[in-house]
Amino acid sequence: MARSAHITAVKGFRDVLPDESARWHVLEVEALDVFSIYGFEEIRLPIAEKTELFARSIGESTDIVEKEMYTFTDRGDTSITLRPEATASVVRAAIEHKLISADNERRLFYRGPMFRRERPQKGRFRQFYQIGAEVLGRDDALVDAEVLVLLRDLLARVGASGTTIELNSLGDESCRPAYRERLLAFAEERRDGLCENCRQRLTRNPLRVLDCKEEGCRRIMDGAPLLIDHLCEACESHFASVRALLDAAAVSVTINPRIVRGLDYYCRTAFEITATGLGSQNAIGGGGRYDNLVAHLGGPAVGGVGFALGVERLGMVMAQSAQTRQSTVFVAPLTDDARSVGLCLATRLRGRGKSVELAAGGRSLKALMRHANRSGAHLVLIIGADELSARRATVRDMRQQTDHPLSIDLDSSGQDLVEQLSRLGGAAA
Ligand code: HAM
């Protein structure tokens, strides 16, 4: 048969190779522990939802809904979208399963892939992973502060370096519309200097002009009115409480009045976690409060606040502490007959919790030892023809470069093997 061209992954969809996934594992273990300490339970959500869910929650005029969703019609003529984020799904599920009511708070976390058809670049993918958490049922500033304390703790645990929590308030229905008009008037007067994208944003989503990355727009918007200077009394007091509580908990944050977020459901608290050294895609996480979302999706009128971390980006700034698991024992059968003995030995040792690498045959002793060396194993069990007839194996201590006999009783439970190996290899076994 002719050799075929190999098939590559879809653009923006990537493989997470063992070195990277080992780091993700550290992150997941730490996150699970922190979430449990803070009283969060895991929710596993479907990867696809009805398109309407995202249109209604994230907002029709956001970049995500307008341009970035993977949407298709299934055979039953339902419009389905691969989730671009999970907050909408959490709220949908909480309403559907009656997890929340006016006097019942719920803390949920999730992890998994999200899909956005953005232009791929460093730190930006079309399939990417998030770990996120939502507290549903409370509009108290205490919860906003607590969520940020949790984030600070989690980032410290995984050794994320160079990170900053940037905080803003986006106001609510009583102060944002008037501010929007004020901002629009300011930007309309300077329309000609704005980029094409921002000119479009003026009609659809003028707040987004504030966080345009174009140098020209930045310069123009430098003097623009800011929402935190035009908050209503209730939003002002909420924002002041969040800051005071964070101060009391010694969480350092930077107030950034230009944070607007790319999703429409936010009100009041909004934040982003940025990290140095990542280039333009420097947000490793984001979140905020969404007090109208639950009711807007048909649930009770209760508030919510949460965040999501981008796992790829966080992985890039985490301390390189993740160790790939190394086998401690390498089993090397040298003959065909020795293979079944090798398999039995490996199974017995694994049954006792030992990490074992079993070498498949067809290679010389020299080749096998080279492989054993690469595997990082401290002890190698060599089973050749001589060993087989004497019902033993030769154990090579790779660090001392010494050989020792090991008697094999294939009827035993394996404990005697572990004990013999422990005597030979000390802690290594
Ligand atoms: P978001 O800011 O859209 O918020 O996404 C959160 C994080 O996901 C970003 O800070 C970034 O690290 C990562 N991320 C987003 N898009 C990409 C991409 N194309 N490639 C790689 N990483 C990406 C949300 O998704 C909200 N649901 C967060 C939230 C939860 N708000 C309240 N609760």
Side-chain angles (χ1 to χ4, degrees):
M1 208 157 77
R3 205 183 150 108
S4 322
H6 84 287
I7 300 167
T8 56
V10 177
K11 184 175 175 190
F13 289 64
R14 53 194 287 279
D15 303 302
V16 181
L17 302 180
D19 278 353
E20 188 177 2
S21 69
R23 209 152 343 127
W24 288 22
H25 190 213
V26 172
L27 169 61
E28 285 177 353
V29 167
E30 295 295 347
L32 257 58
D33 195 42
V34 171
F35 286 143
S36 129
I37 287 170
Y38 279 80
F40 285 77
E41 298 168 294
E42 184 169 18
I43 182 162
R44 301 219 180 199
L45 301 156
I47 276 172
E49 299 272 1
K50 291 180 189 153
T51 305
E52 192 194 347
L53 174 70
F54 301 117
R56 221 202 288 175
S57 55
I58 298 172
E60 297 275 8
S61 60
T62 56
D63 284 352
I64 297 180
V65 172
E66 273 196 343
K67 308 185 232 175
E68 298 169 1
M69 296 204 303
Y70 281 95
T71 296
F72 60 96
T73 308
D74 78 355
R75 283 164 196 261
D77 264 354
T78 310
S79 179
I80 287 178
T81 294
L82 298 185
R83 62 182 184 193
E85 62 107 49
T87 308
S89 303
V90 171
V91 172
R92 194 259 318 131
I95 297 168
E96 194 167 333
H97 305 289
K98 301 192 174 49
L99 303 182
I100 36 170
S101 59
D103 51 16
N104 181 21
E105 169 189 313
R106 201 77 200 217
R107 297 176 168 227
L108 299 165
F109 76 89
Y110 52 86
R111 51 189 156 154
M114 309 292 155
F115 305 85
R116 296 183 194 173
R117 201 176 185 287
E118 295 186 81
R119 196 167 48 77
Q121 62 181 85
K122 182 184 171 204
R124 189 159 75 189
F125 313 105
R126 292 180 170 175
Q127 174 176 329
F128 59 95
Y129 286 74
Q130 286 186 346
I131 292 188
E134 315 289 344
V135 182
L136 302 175
R138 290 281 167 274
D139 57 13
D140 189 340
L142 182 58
V143 192
D144 309 38
E146 202 190 354
V147 160
L148 287 165
V149 180
L150 182 160
L151 260 173
R152 191 263 321 257
D153 287 356
L154 179 55
L155 293 173
R157 278 218 203 185
V158 299
S161 57
T163 60
T164 308
I165 301 178
E166 301 188 16
L167 185 68
N168 192 19
S169 173
L170 294 178
D172 64 9
E173 278 79 74
S174 61
C175 47
R176 198 160 43 204
Y179 167 74
R180 193 175 177 276
E181 291 311 312
R182 211 182 266 265
L183 180 72
L184 200 55
F186 177 92
E188 281 291 4
E189 270 176 35
R190 294 155 180 86
R191 168 179 260 279
D192 292 346
L194 295 174
C195 72
E196 177 56 34
N197 227 341
C198 280
R199 285 204 291 267
Q200 281 179 20
R201 283 178 178 140
L202 287 183
T203 33
R204 293 183 290 118
N205 212 345
L207 262 66
R208 295 274 334 178
V209 180
L210 277 176
D211 78 343
C212 179
K213 305 278 186 285
E214 295 283 331
E215 197 40 51
C217 300
R218 280 184 155 201
R219 230 175 306 115
I220 289 175
M221 297 310 282
D222 241 4
L226 297 170
L227 184 44
I228 47 170
D229 298 327
H230 296 91
L231 295 174
C232 60
E233 227 176 285
C235 288
E236 177 61 50
S237 134
H238 186 93
F239 193 40
S241 291
V242 174
R243 283 178 306 177
L245 288 162
L246 289 173
D247 216 31
V251 177
S252 70
V253 296
T254 303
I255 305 299
N256 179 354
R258 284 167 195 280
I259 287 180
V260 292
R261 310 283 296 131
L263 309 99
D264 279 354
Y265 48 62
Y266 293 110
C267 68
R268 297 190 172 167
T269 309
F271 53 85
E272 271 172 11
I273 321 288
T274 53
T276 49
L278 288 182
S280 65
Q281 303 306 311
N282 65 346
I284 57 168
R289 174 159 283 288
Y290 44 86
D291 285 345
N292 301 315
L293 182 60
V294 183
H296 191 61
L297 291 177
V302 299
V305 60
F307 69 85
L309 289 164
V311 177
E312 290 83 356
R313 294 184 195 174
L314 181 52
M316 291 184 211
V317 297
M318 269 171 67
Q320 307 277 323
S321 59
Q323 287 278 327
T324 36
R325 190 178 164 86
Q326 288 194 331
S327 57
T328 51
V329 182
F330 188 93
V331 177
L334 298 185
T335 65
D336 278 357
D337 291 346
R339 286 155 64 242
S340 65
V341 176
L343 180 60
C344 287
L345 285 180
T347 307
R348 296 239 151 84
L349 290 169
R350 286 170 177 154
R352 297 273 146 186
K354 293 282 150 214
S355 166
V356 177
E357 187 161 344
L358 174 61
R363 281 175 290 172
S364 67
L365 177 62
K366 207 166 146 204
L368 281 171
M369 293 313 286
R370 262 204 309 272
H371 181 177
N373 220 354
R374 271 201 311 274
S375 80
H378 297 141
L379 297 175
V380 181
L381 265 60
I382 302 162
I383 317 159
D386 293 350
E387 279 87 359
L388 265 189
S389 55
R391 294 178 71 81
R392 63 177 174 79
T394 298
V395 183
R396 179 159 302 171
D397 183 324
M398 298 294 276
R399 284 181 297 196
Q400 310 283 339
Q401 286 296 309
T402 49
D403 286 355
H404 310 268
L406 173 88
S407 65
I408 328 172
D409 175 4
L410 289 182
D411 300 326
S412 82
S413 65
Q415 186 54 33
D416 60 312
L417 274 176
V418 173
E419 280 164 11
Q420 286 186 73
L421 287 177
S422 300
R423 276 198 297 279
L424 288 174

